[in-house]
Amino acid sequence: MYYVDGRWVEAAEAYIHPEDRGYQFGDGIYEVFRIYQGKIYQWEAHYTRLARSAKELQIAFPWTSSELQSIAEQLLDKNSITETDDAILYMQVTRGTAPRQHEFPEGLRPILSAFARKKERPRAEMQNGIAAALIPDIRWLRCDIKSLNLLGAAMAKQQAKQQGAFEAILHRDGTVTEGSSSNLFVVKDNVLYTHPANHLILHGITRQIVIALAGTLSLEVREETFDAEFLKQADELFFTGTTVEVMPVVSLDGKPVGSGQVGEVVRKLQEAFEGTIG
Ligand code: PMP
């Protein structure tokens, strides 16, 4: 079952208007939630970010946290996602439907749609580590907004895939920003480095959790920019994200990262992250 603009519908009836601004301009926002054992992980953080993305784009956002949460819970129910299941839940809000014009039409009614499906955790990848490829970051300059404009990210991920990698590591003129759908950390001499949470990256919820966990493990974290040269000297590299969790990177552009094995620091963080799950 899908939720589309106030209605519960089967996939075959899940229609959206062709002049929904989400289609024509990518004029909308979204969140992906992780469901561990039937429970939504970090609901409030995702809700807060969704509401913030709406505010930054002047999209009307009439839903309270509990109203949206109730829709999310019903969605799990209607899709038979129970306490034995891991899953993902997707929610998006577009500005609404109107005859095409670039500027924002007045008084639009925002359109909420959502779906949920069972999805296993990426256990093998988290255990063995994955390959990454360094790709230019051609996205817009408001990457802090979780908007539907994902073509830059999709192109980067596709390019990474064509190079045999699982994820892209993006850089702007040599300055490393984040993954195409994840944040990135470098470990060098037991210190963690990650791009500052400004307009050039998404302020990841998992990133924030990992920064807090690093504190409890007495690991120093520097939210600083770094370049591709520094990246290549890393002892360890890892991505963070709602679906990738804490994901070790063991090769970059076909060359081993550090020892070429999953490192100690990332293992500790994975273990600590596990402790935050239900
Ligand atoms: N950066 C980008 C570009 C993303 O799409 C995501 C996935 N939401 C992240 C970072 C990770 O954010 P989070 O930990 O909140 O999922």
Side-chain angles (χ1 to χ4, degrees):
M1 288 289 262
Y2 287 71
Y3 178 90
V4 182
D5 196 19
R7 298 171 54 226
W8 297 101
V9 289
E10 297 291 347
E13 283 96 49
Y15 295 121
I16 287 173
H17 195 284
E19 287 211 281
D20 185 308
R21 289 180 61 97
Y23 280 139
Q24 292 180 332
F25 300 100
D27 188 359
I29 53 170
Y30 76 105
E31 282 294 325
V32 178
F33 301 79
R34 213 357 159 168
I35 315 301
Y36 292 116
Q37 307 279 284
K39 288 208 181 60
I40 305 171
Y41 182 69
Q42 294 284 328
W43 168 266
E44 209 55 41
H46 284 277
Y47 171 81
T48 301
R49 187 169 65 187
L50 189 64
R52 176 191 181 266
S53 294
K55 184 156 181 271
E56 290 297 314
L57 295 176
Q58 300 172 47
I59 290 174
F61 194 80
W63 302 275
T64 64
S65 171
S66 53
E67 281 164 356
L68 270 197
Q69 195 170 3
S70 156
I71 292 169
E73 303 283 0
Q74 289 177 68
L75 199 51
L76 297 182
D77 231 36
K78 289 177 194 293
N79 287 283
S80 309
I81 293 162
T82 68
E83 65 275 9
T84 54
D85 299 313
D86 294 331
I88 54 135
L89 191 153
Y90 176 91
M91 267 191 177
Q92 75 166 45
V93 177
T94 68
R95 189 179 306 279
T97 297
R100 188 176 184 279
Q101 67 175 48
H102 281 66
E103 68 276 28
F104 308 159
E106 294 282 318
L108 288 196
R109 189 174 59 78
I111 294 177
L112 171 66
S113 58
F115 63 84
R117 67 171 58 101
K118 291 176 193 176
K119 190 174 164 74
E120 296 280 319
R121 299 175 63 189
R123 292 180 207 279
E125 290 85 354
M126 290 195 292
Q127 182 59 32
N128 304 324
I130 50 97
L134 194 59
I135 310 271
D137 190 344
I138 62 163
R139 301 171 305 164
W140 72 333
L141 296 174
R142 289 303 307 275
C143 294
D144 56 309
I145 301 173
K146 203 160 170 61
S147 90
L148 298 180
N149 289 271
L150 288 176
L151 202 48
M155 286 171 74
K157 183 88 100 193
Q158 176 63 15
Q159 217 176 317
K161 184 180 167 189
Q162 284 167 348
Q163 294 176 24
F166 172 97
E167 172 63 305
I169 294 179
L170 303 177
H171 72 91
R172 274 187 205 271
D173 299 325
T175 298
V176 175
T177 51
E178 60 179 337
S180 73
S181 60
S182 54
N183 291 115
L184 178 75
F185 287 78
V186 168
V187 183
K188 183 73 185 167
D189 299 327
N190 271 322
V191 176
L192 271 59
Y193 296 83
T194 194
H195 194 285
N198 62 14
H199 63 290
L200 295 178
I201 66 161
L202 186 77
H203 305 183
I205 291 163
T206 322
R207 173 186 181 278
Q208 207 51 53
I209 291 169
V210 163
I211 289 173
L213 292 173
T216 67
L217 296 168
S218 301
L219 289 163
E220 186 185 343
V221 181
R222 296 192 193 152
E223 295 183 63
E224 289 173 7
T225 56
F226 51 85
D227 63 14
E229 286 316 305
F230 183 72
L231 186 72
K232 289 172 192 163
Q233 306 302 316
D235 298 331
E236 300 178 37
L237 281 183
F238 63 93
F239 293 113
T240 62
T242 296
T243 53
V244 296
E245 306 191 9
V246 178
M247 181 61 78
V249 179
V250 291
S251 79
L252 173 62
D253 289 339
K255 299 189 189 72
V257 173
S259 66
Q261 305 290 316
V262 176
E264 257 173 59
V265 171
V266 71
R267 279 286 183 249
K268 278 190 212 159
L269 289 166
Q270 283 181 322
E271 199 185 316
F273 184 78
E274 205 66 36
T276 71
I277 298 171

PDB file of all heavy atoms in Angstrom, residues 30-32 46 49 139 143 146 150 153 167 170 178-184 201-208 240-245, ligand 1:
ATOM      1  N   TYR A  30      12.179  15.312   0.834  1.00  0.00           N
ATOM      2  CA  TYR A  30      11.894  13.933   1.222  1.00  0.00           C
ATOM      3  C   TYR A  30      12.736  13.512   2.413  1.00  0.00           C
ATOM      4  O   TYR A  30      13.680  14.218   2.795  1.00  0.00           O
ATOM      5  CB  TYR A  30      12.135  12.982   0.038  1.00  0.00           C
ATOM      6  CG  TYR A  30      13.595  12.711  -0.238  1.00  0.00           C
ATOM      7  CD1 TYR A  30      14.186  11.506   0.117  1.00  0.00           C
ATOM      8  CD2 TYR A  30      14.401  13.687  -0.827  1.00  0.00           C
ATOM      9  CE1 TYR A  30      15.530  11.264  -0.121  1.00  0.00           C
ATOM     10  CE2 TYR A  30      15.742  13.449  -1.059  1.00  0.00           C
ATOM     11  CZ  TYR A  30      16.304  12.237  -0.702  1.00  0.00           C
ATOM     12  OH  TYR A  30      17.638  12.009  -0.916  1.00  0.00           O
ATOM     13  N   GLU A  31      12.387  12.368   2.948  1.00  0.00           N
ATOM     14  CA  GLU A  31      13.203  11.705   3.971  1.00  0.00           C
ATOM     15  C   GLU A  31      13.120  10.201   3.735  1.00  0.00           C
ATOM     16  O   GLU A  31      12.099   9.695   3.276  1.00  0.00           O
ATOM     17  CB  GLU A  31      12.696  11.990   5.396  1.00  0.00           C
ATOM     18  CG  GLU A  31      13.076  13.344   5.954  1.00  0.00           C
ATOM     19  CD  GLU A  31      14.575  13.527   6.190  1.00  0.00           C
ATOM     20  OE1 GLU A  31      15.265  12.566   6.555  1.00  0.00           O
ATOM     21  OE2 GLU A  31      15.052  14.660   5.983  1.00  0.00           O
ATOM     22  N   VAL A  32      14.215   9.526   4.066  1.00  0.00           N
ATOM     23  CA  VAL A  32      14.214   8.062   4.117  1.00  0.00           C
ATOM     24  C   VAL A  32      14.449   7.670   5.570  1.00  0.00           C
ATOM     25  O   VAL A  32      15.410   8.129   6.181  1.00  0.00           O
ATOM     26  CB  VAL A  32      15.317   7.460   3.224  1.00  0.00           C
ATOM     27  CG1 VAL A  32      15.316   5.932   3.338  1.00  0.00           C
ATOM     28  CG2 VAL A  32      15.146   7.899   1.774  1.00  0.00           C
ATOM     29  N   HIS A  46      14.535  12.947  11.810  1.00  0.00           N
ATOM     30  CA  HIS A  46      14.132  12.989  10.393  1.00  0.00           C
ATOM     31  C   HIS A  46      12.960  13.958  10.197  1.00  0.00           C
ATOM     32  O   HIS A  46      12.923  14.711   9.210  1.00  0.00           O
ATOM     33  CB  HIS A  46      13.733  11.593   9.899  1.00  0.00           C
ATOM     34  CG  HIS A  46      14.902  10.700   9.635  1.00  0.00           C
ATOM     35  ND1 HIS A  46      15.625  10.725   8.462  1.00  0.00           N
ATOM     36  CD2 HIS A  46      15.501   9.754  10.401  1.00  0.00           C
ATOM     37  CE1 HIS A  46      16.600   9.835   8.510  1.00  0.00           C
ATOM     38  NE2 HIS A  46      16.544   9.229   9.685  1.00  0.00           N
ATOM     39  N   ARG A  49      14.276  17.463  10.239  1.00  0.00           N
ATOM     40  CA  ARG A  49      14.984  17.819   9.005  1.00  0.00           C
ATOM     41  C   ARG A  49      14.006  18.025   7.852  1.00  0.00           C
ATOM     42  O   ARG A  49      14.180  18.938   7.031  1.00  0.00           O
ATOM     43  CB  ARG A  49      16.018  16.747   8.659  1.00  0.00           C
ATOM     44  CG  ARG A  49      16.897  17.145   7.480  1.00  0.00           C
ATOM     45  CD  ARG A  49      18.089  16.229   7.300  1.00  0.00           C
ATOM     46  NE  ARG A  49      17.693  14.872   6.948  1.00  0.00           N
ATOM     47  CZ  ARG A  49      18.533  13.848   6.865  1.00  0.00           C
ATOM     48  NH1 ARG A  49      19.820  14.019   7.115  1.00  0.00           N
ATOM     49  NH2 ARG A  49      18.103  12.653   6.527  1.00  0.00           N
ATOM     50  N   ARG A 139      26.620  18.922  -8.054  1.00  0.00           N
ATOM     51  CA  ARG A 139      25.293  19.259  -7.520  1.00  0.00           C
ATOM     52  C   ARG A 139      25.175  20.754  -7.267  1.00  0.00           C
ATOM     53  O   ARG A 139      26.154  21.493  -7.323  1.00  0.00           O
ATOM     54  CB  ARG A 139      25.057  18.472  -6.229  1.00  0.00           C
ATOM     55  CG  ARG A 139      25.127  16.961  -6.422  1.00  0.00           C
ATOM     56  CD  ARG A 139      25.098  16.244  -5.092  1.00  0.00           C
ATOM     57  NE  ARG A 139      26.145  16.714  -4.206  1.00  0.00           N
ATOM     58  CZ  ARG A 139      26.186  16.509  -2.900  1.00  0.00           C
ATOM     59  NH1 ARG A 139      25.233  15.823  -2.318  1.00  0.00           N
ATOM     60  NH2 ARG A 139      27.190  16.965  -2.174  1.00  0.00           N
ATOM     61  N   CYS A 143      23.049  21.765  -0.809  1.00  0.00           N
ATOM     62  CA  CYS A 143      23.003  20.322  -0.519  1.00  0.00           C
ATOM     63  C   CYS A 143      22.523  20.045   0.901  1.00  0.00           C
ATOM     64  O   CYS A 143      22.247  18.900   1.255  1.00  0.00           O
ATOM     65  CB  CYS A 143      24.381  19.711  -0.741  1.00  0.00           C
ATOM     66  SG  CYS A 143      24.874  19.772  -2.461  1.00  0.00           S
ATOM     67  N   LYS A 146      17.244  18.606   1.809  1.00  0.00           N
ATOM     68  CA  LYS A 146      17.023  17.260   1.249  1.00  0.00           C
ATOM     69  C   LYS A 146      15.918  17.363   0.209  1.00  0.00           C
ATOM     70  O   LYS A 146      14.759  17.032   0.463  1.00  0.00           O
ATOM     71  CB  LYS A 146      16.681  16.276   2.382  1.00  0.00           C
ATOM     72  CG  LYS A 146      16.974  14.837   2.022  1.00  0.00           C
ATOM     73  CD  LYS A 146      17.095  13.987   3.260  1.00  0.00           C
ATOM     74  CE  LYS A 146      17.139  12.508   2.948  1.00  0.00           C
ATOM     75  NZ  LYS A 146      18.253  12.072   2.115  1.00  0.00           N
ATOM     76  N   LEU A 150      17.728  15.176  -7.439  1.00  0.00           N
ATOM     77  CA  LEU A 150      18.773  14.194  -7.133  1.00  0.00           C
ATOM     78  C   LEU A 150      19.579  13.783  -8.358  1.00  0.00           C
ATOM     79  O   LEU A 150      20.340  12.822  -8.301  1.00  0.00           O
ATOM     80  CB  LEU A 150      18.136  12.963  -6.467  1.00  0.00           C
ATOM     81  CG  LEU A 150      17.668  13.204  -5.036  1.00  0.00           C
ATOM     82  CD1 LEU A 150      16.962  11.973  -4.481  1.00  0.00           C
ATOM     83  CD2 LEU A 150      18.838  13.565  -4.132  1.00  0.00           C
ATOM     84  N   ALA A 153      23.317  13.653  -7.920  1.00  0.00           N
ATOM     85  CA  ALA A 153      23.688  12.512  -7.071  1.00  0.00           C
ATOM     86  C   ALA A 153      23.534  11.200  -7.840  1.00  0.00           C
ATOM     87  O   ALA A 153      24.395  10.311  -7.768  1.00  0.00           O
ATOM     88  CB  ALA A 153      22.816  12.496  -5.817  1.00  0.00           C
ATOM     89  N   GLU A 167      29.879   3.309  -4.162  1.00  0.00           N
ATOM     90  CA  GLU A 167      29.473   4.680  -3.847  1.00  0.00           C
ATOM     91  C   GLU A 167      30.518   5.647  -4.398  1.00  0.00           C
ATOM     92  O   GLU A 167      31.702   5.305  -4.527  1.00  0.00           O
ATOM     93  CB  GLU A 167      29.315   4.847  -2.328  1.00  0.00           C
ATOM     94  CG  GLU A 167      29.083   6.260  -1.793  1.00  0.00           C
ATOM     95  CD  GLU A 167      27.778   6.950  -2.245  1.00  0.00           C
ATOM     96  OE1 GLU A 167      27.560   7.036  -3.485  1.00  0.00           O
ATOM     97  OE2 GLU A 167      27.028   7.428  -1.376  1.00  0.00           O
ATOM     98  N   LEU A 170      32.438  12.453  -3.501  1.00  0.00           N
ATOM     99  CA  LEU A 170      32.339  13.663  -4.317  1.00  0.00           C
ATOM    100  C   LEU A 170      33.374  14.701  -3.891  1.00  0.00           C
ATOM    101  O   LEU A 170      33.683  14.833  -2.699  1.00  0.00           O
ATOM    102  CB  LEU A 170      30.936  14.253  -4.180  1.00  0.00           C
ATOM    103  CG  LEU A 170      29.794  13.304  -4.555  1.00  0.00           C
ATOM    104  CD1 LEU A 170      28.436  13.974  -4.321  1.00  0.00           C
ATOM    105  CD2 LEU A 170      29.913  12.868  -6.008  1.00  0.00           C
ATOM    106  N   GLU A 178      31.166  14.784   0.315  1.00  0.00           N
ATOM    107  CA  GLU A 178      30.447  13.661   0.934  1.00  0.00           C
ATOM    108  C   GLU A 178      30.246  12.587  -0.127  1.00  0.00           C
ATOM    109  O   GLU A 178      30.778  12.686  -1.224  1.00  0.00           O
ATOM    110  CB  GLU A 178      29.101  14.142   1.503  1.00  0.00           C
ATOM    111  CG  GLU A 178      28.171  14.747   0.471  1.00  0.00           C
ATOM    112  CD  GLU A 178      26.817  15.203   1.025  1.00  0.00           C
ATOM    113  OE1 GLU A 178      26.395  14.695   2.078  1.00  0.00           O
ATOM    114  OE2 GLU A 178      26.178  16.055   0.379  1.00  0.00           O
ATOM    115  N   GLY A 179      29.460  11.557   0.197  1.00  0.00           N
ATOM    116  CA  GLY A 179      29.095  10.554  -0.797  1.00  0.00           C
ATOM    117  C   GLY A 179      27.880  11.035  -1.580  1.00  0.00           C
ATOM    118  O   GLY A 179      27.282  12.072  -1.259  1.00  0.00           O
ATOM    119  N   SER A 180      27.479  10.278  -2.611  1.00  0.00           N
ATOM    120  CA  SER A 180      26.316  10.707  -3.398  1.00  0.00           C
ATOM    121  C   SER A 180      25.027  10.559  -2.596  1.00  0.00           C
ATOM    122  O   SER A 180      24.060  11.284  -2.822  1.00  0.00           O
ATOM    123  CB  SER A 180      26.230   9.911  -4.702  1.00  0.00           C
ATOM    124  OG  SER A 180      25.804   8.588  -4.456  1.00  0.00           O
ATOM    125  N   SER A 181      25.006   9.629  -1.637  1.00  0.00           N
ATOM    126  CA  SER A 181      23.841   9.484  -0.762  1.00  0.00           C
ATOM    127  C   SER A 181      24.284   9.094   0.647  1.00  0.00           C
ATOM    128  O   SER A 181      23.642   8.287   1.308  1.00  0.00           O
ATOM    129  CB  SER A 181      22.864   8.451  -1.332  1.00  0.00           C
ATOM    130  OG  SER A 181      23.488   7.191  -1.450  1.00  0.00           O
ATOM    131  N   SER A 182      25.400   9.689   1.064  1.00  0.00           N
ATOM    132  CA  SER A 182      25.959   9.362   2.377  1.00  0.00           C
ATOM    133  C   SER A 182      26.970  10.438   2.748  1.00  0.00           C
ATOM    134  O   SER A 182      27.430  11.181   1.883  1.00  0.00           O
ATOM    135  CB  SER A 182      26.663   8.003   2.319  1.00  0.00           C
ATOM    136  OG  SER A 182      27.629   7.999   1.277  1.00  0.00           O
ATOM    137  N   ASN A 183      27.301  10.516   4.023  1.00  0.00           N
ATOM    138  CA  ASN A 183      28.399  11.392   4.453  1.00  0.00           C
ATOM    139  C   ASN A 183      29.684  10.569   4.518  1.00  0.00           C
ATOM    140  O   ASN A 183      29.639   9.343   4.541  1.00  0.00           O
ATOM    141  CB  ASN A 183      28.090  12.007   5.826  1.00  0.00           C
ATOM    142  CG  ASN A 183      26.953  13.009   5.757  1.00  0.00           C
ATOM    143  OD1 ASN A 183      25.886  12.805   6.328  1.00  0.00           O
ATOM    144  ND2 ASN A 183      27.158  14.089   5.037  1.00  0.00           N
ATOM    145  N   LEU A 184      30.802  11.271   4.531  1.00  0.00           N
ATOM    146  CA  LEU A 184      32.102  10.584   4.494  1.00  0.00           C
ATOM    147  C   LEU A 184      32.974  11.020   5.670  1.00  0.00           C
ATOM    148  O   LEU A 184      33.010  12.207   6.011  1.00  0.00           O
ATOM    149  CB  LEU A 184      32.820  10.936   3.184  1.00  0.00           C
ATOM    150  CG  LEU A 184      34.214  10.328   3.047  1.00  0.00           C
ATOM    151  CD1 LEU A 184      34.125   8.839   2.737  1.00  0.00           C
ATOM    152  CD2 LEU A 184      35.029  11.048   1.982  1.00  0.00           C
ATOM    153  N   ILE A 201      26.963  20.066   2.051  1.00  0.00           N
ATOM    154  CA  ILE A 201      26.642  18.649   2.348  1.00  0.00           C
ATOM    155  C   ILE A 201      25.272  18.553   3.026  1.00  0.00           C
ATOM    156  O   ILE A 201      24.781  19.537   3.600  1.00  0.00           O
ATOM    157  CB  ILE A 201      27.680  17.960   3.269  1.00  0.00           C
ATOM    158  CG1 ILE A 201      27.690  18.571   4.684  1.00  0.00           C
ATOM    159  CG2 ILE A 201      29.068  17.988   2.654  1.00  0.00           C
ATOM    160  CD1 ILE A 201      28.329  17.680   5.732  1.00  0.00           C
ATOM    161  N   LEU A 202      24.717  17.350   2.978  1.00  0.00           N
ATOM    162  CA  LEU A 202      23.521  17.086   3.778  1.00  0.00           C
ATOM    163  C   LEU A 202      23.966  16.864   5.227  1.00  0.00           C
ATOM    164  O   LEU A 202      24.959  16.178   5.476  1.00  0.00           O
ATOM    165  CB  LEU A 202      22.781  15.843   3.269  1.00  0.00           C
ATOM    166  CG  LEU A 202      21.453  15.656   4.010  1.00  0.00           C
ATOM    167  CD1 LEU A 202      20.408  16.631   3.468  1.00  0.00           C
ATOM    168  CD2 LEU A 202      20.952  14.243   3.918  1.00  0.00           C
ATOM    169  N   HIS A 203      23.218  17.466   6.144  1.00  0.00           N
ATOM    170  CA  HIS A 203      23.560  17.302   7.560  1.00  0.00           C
ATOM    171  C   HIS A 203      22.999  15.957   8.016  1.00  0.00           C
ATOM    172  O   HIS A 203      21.874  15.866   8.504  1.00  0.00           O
ATOM    173  CB  HIS A 203      23.008  18.450   8.388  1.00  0.00           C
ATOM    174  CG  HIS A 203      23.449  19.798   7.895  1.00  0.00           C
ATOM    175  ND1 HIS A 203      23.133  20.969   8.515  1.00  0.00           N
ATOM    176  CD2 HIS A 203      24.192  20.146   6.810  1.00  0.00           C
ATOM    177  CE1 HIS A 203      23.669  21.979   7.845  1.00  0.00           C
ATOM    178  NE2 HIS A 203      24.300  21.505   6.796  1.00  0.00           N
ATOM    179  N   GLY A 204      23.785  14.946   7.819  1.00  0.00           N
ATOM    180  CA  GLY A 204      23.303  13.576   8.012  1.00  0.00           C
ATOM    181  C   GLY A 204      22.996  13.272   9.468  1.00  0.00           C
ATOM    182  O   GLY A 204      23.735  13.681  10.377  1.00  0.00           O
ATOM    183  N   ILE A 205      21.945  12.544   9.662  1.00  0.00           N
ATOM    184  CA  ILE A 205      21.553  12.140  11.011  1.00  0.00           C
ATOM    185  C   ILE A 205      22.537  11.086  11.528  1.00  0.00           C
ATOM    186  O   ILE A 205      22.973  11.135  12.675  1.00  0.00           O
ATOM    187  CB  ILE A 205      20.092  11.653  10.988  1.00  0.00           C
ATOM    188  CG1 ILE A 205      19.199  12.876  10.727  1.00  0.00           C
ATOM    189  CG2 ILE A 205      19.708  10.938  12.286  1.00  0.00           C
ATOM    190  CD1 ILE A 205      17.795  12.563  10.272  1.00  0.00           C
ATOM    191  N   THR A 206      22.929  10.171  10.662  1.00  0.00           N
ATOM    192  CA  THR A 206      23.903   9.153  11.057  1.00  0.00           C
ATOM    193  C   THR A 206      25.260   9.806  11.342  1.00  0.00           C
ATOM    194  O   THR A 206      25.958   9.418  12.288  1.00  0.00           O
ATOM    195  CB  THR A 206      24.048   8.093   9.949  1.00  0.00           C
ATOM    196  OG1 THR A 206      22.756   7.845   9.387  1.00  0.00           O
ATOM    197  CG2 THR A 206      24.614   6.801  10.488  1.00  0.00           C
ATOM    198  N   ARG A 207      25.612  10.795  10.520  1.00  0.00           N
ATOM    199  CA  ARG A 207      26.851  11.567  10.751  1.00  0.00           C
ATOM    200  C   ARG A 207      26.869  12.124  12.169  1.00  0.00           C
ATOM    201  O   ARG A 207      27.855  12.001  12.892  1.00  0.00           O
ATOM    202  CB  ARG A 207      26.917  12.690   9.713  1.00  0.00           C
ATOM    203  CG  ARG A 207      28.046  13.699   9.897  1.00  0.00           C
ATOM    204  CD  ARG A 207      27.879  14.845   8.879  1.00  0.00           C
ATOM    205  NE  ARG A 207      28.939  15.827   8.975  1.00  0.00           N
ATOM    206  CZ  ARG A 207      28.961  16.818   9.874  1.00  0.00           C
ATOM    207  NH1 ARG A 207      27.979  16.932  10.767  1.00  0.00           N
ATOM    208  NH2 ARG A 207      29.964  17.689   9.896  1.00  0.00           N
ATOM    209  N   GLN A 208      25.748  12.721  12.561  1.00  0.00           N
ATOM    210  CA  GLN A 208      25.650  13.334  13.879  1.00  0.00           C
ATOM    211  C   GLN A 208      25.751  12.278  14.983  1.00  0.00           C
ATOM    212  O   GLN A 208      26.423  12.491  15.994  1.00  0.00           O
ATOM    213  CB  GLN A 208      24.312  14.097  13.970  1.00  0.00           C
ATOM    214  CG  GLN A 208      24.341  15.262  14.930  1.00  0.00           C
ATOM    215  CD  GLN A 208      25.524  16.200  14.680  1.00  0.00           C
ATOM    216  OE1 GLN A 208      25.728  16.660  13.550  1.00  0.00           O
ATOM    217  NE2 GLN A 208      26.324  16.433  15.708  1.00  0.00           N
ATOM    218  N   THR A 240      28.631   7.231   6.183  1.00  0.00           N
ATOM    219  CA  THR A 240      27.516   7.067   7.123  1.00  0.00           C
ATOM    220  C   THR A 240      26.223   7.454   6.419  1.00  0.00           C
ATOM    221  O   THR A 240      26.209   8.327   5.555  1.00  0.00           O
ATOM    222  CB  THR A 240      27.669   7.965   8.374  1.00  0.00           C
ATOM    223  OG1 THR A 240      27.670   9.339   7.984  1.00  0.00           O
ATOM    224  CG2 THR A 240      28.930   7.650   9.149  1.00  0.00           C
ATOM    225  N   GLY A 241      25.145   6.801   6.806  1.00  0.00           N
ATOM    226  CA  GLY A 241      23.845   7.134   6.233  1.00  0.00           C
ATOM    227  C   GLY A 241      22.777   6.199   6.761  1.00  0.00           C
ATOM    228  O   GLY A 241      23.094   5.126   7.307  1.00  0.00           O
ATOM    229  N   THR A 242      21.546   6.621   6.585  1.00  0.00           N
ATOM    230  CA  THR A 242      20.407   5.861   7.087  1.00  0.00           C
ATOM    231  C   THR A 242      20.391   4.435   6.545  1.00  0.00           C
ATOM    232  O   THR A 242      20.083   3.507   7.278  1.00  0.00           O
ATOM    233  CB  THR A 242      19.116   6.605   6.696  1.00  0.00           C
ATOM    234  OG1 THR A 242      19.143   7.855   7.382  1.00  0.00           O
ATOM    235  CG2 THR A 242      17.865   5.837   7.056  1.00  0.00           C
ATOM    236  N   THR A 243      20.732   4.263   5.273  1.00  0.00           N
ATOM    237  CA  THR A 243      20.691   2.905   4.709  1.00  0.00           C
ATOM    238  C   THR A 243      22.060   2.221   4.743  1.00  0.00           C
ATOM    239  O   THR A 243      22.124   0.999   4.852  1.00  0.00           O
ATOM    240  CB  THR A 243      20.149   2.905   3.264  1.00  0.00           C
ATOM    241  OG1 THR A 243      20.922   3.834   2.504  1.00  0.00           O
ATOM    242  CG2 THR A 243      18.686   3.290   3.225  1.00  0.00           C
ATOM    243  N   VAL A 244      23.157   3.005   4.676  1.00  0.00           N
ATOM    244  CA  VAL A 244      24.491   2.362   4.681  1.00  0.00           C
ATOM    245  C   VAL A 244      25.060   2.233   6.089  1.00  0.00           C
ATOM    246  O   VAL A 244      26.083   1.547   6.288  1.00  0.00           O
ATOM    247  CB  VAL A 244      25.505   3.087   3.766  1.00  0.00           C
ATOM    248  CG1 VAL A 244      25.068   3.008   2.318  1.00  0.00           C
ATOM    249  CG2 VAL A 244      25.749   4.524   4.191  1.00  0.00           C
ATOM    250  N   GLU A 245      24.389   2.906   7.076  1.00  0.00           N
ATOM    251  CA  GLU A 245      24.822   2.829   8.481  1.00  0.00           C
ATOM    252  C   GLU A 245      26.269   3.327   8.607  1.00  0.00           C
ATOM    253  O   GLU A 245      26.538   4.466   8.229  1.00  0.00           O
ATOM    254  CB  GLU A 245      24.623   1.402   9.002  1.00  0.00           C
ATOM    255  CG  GLU A 245      23.180   0.942   8.781  1.00  0.00           C
ATOM    256  CD  GLU A 245      22.821  -0.344   9.485  1.00  0.00           C
ATOM    257  OE1 GLU A 245      23.593  -0.855  10.302  1.00  0.00           O
ATOM    258  OE2 GLU A 245      21.708  -0.847   9.206  1.00  0.00           O
TER     259      GLU A 245
HETATM  260  N1  PMP B   1      24.404  12.911   2.198  1.00  0.00           N
HETATM  261  C1  PMP B   1      23.525  12.729   1.219  1.00  0.00           C
HETATM  262  C2  PMP B   1      23.717  13.451  -0.052  1.00  0.00           C
HETATM  263  C3  PMP B   1      22.442  11.846   1.396  1.00  0.00           C
HETATM  264  O1  PMP B   1      21.551  11.659   0.416  1.00  0.00           O
HETATM  265  C4  PMP B   1      22.332  11.127   2.614  1.00  0.00           C
HETATM  266  C5  PMP B   1      21.213  10.147   2.807  1.00  0.00           C
HETATM  267  N2  PMP B   1      20.114  10.729   3.456  1.00  0.00           N
HETATM  268  C6  PMP B   1      23.286  11.367   3.617  1.00  0.00           C
HETATM  269  C7  PMP B   1      24.309  12.264   3.375  1.00  0.00           C
HETATM  270  C8  PMP B   1      23.209  10.659   4.942  1.00  0.00           C
HETATM  271  O2  PMP B   1      22.237  11.255   5.753  1.00  0.00           O
HETATM  272  P1  PMP B   1      21.456  10.416   6.856  1.00  0.00           P
HETATM  273  O3  PMP B   1      22.495   9.880   7.787  1.00  0.00           O
HETATM  274  O4  PMP B   1      20.587  11.415   7.519  1.00  0.00           O
HETATM  275  O5  PMP B   1      20.731   9.347   6.135  1.00  0.00           O
END
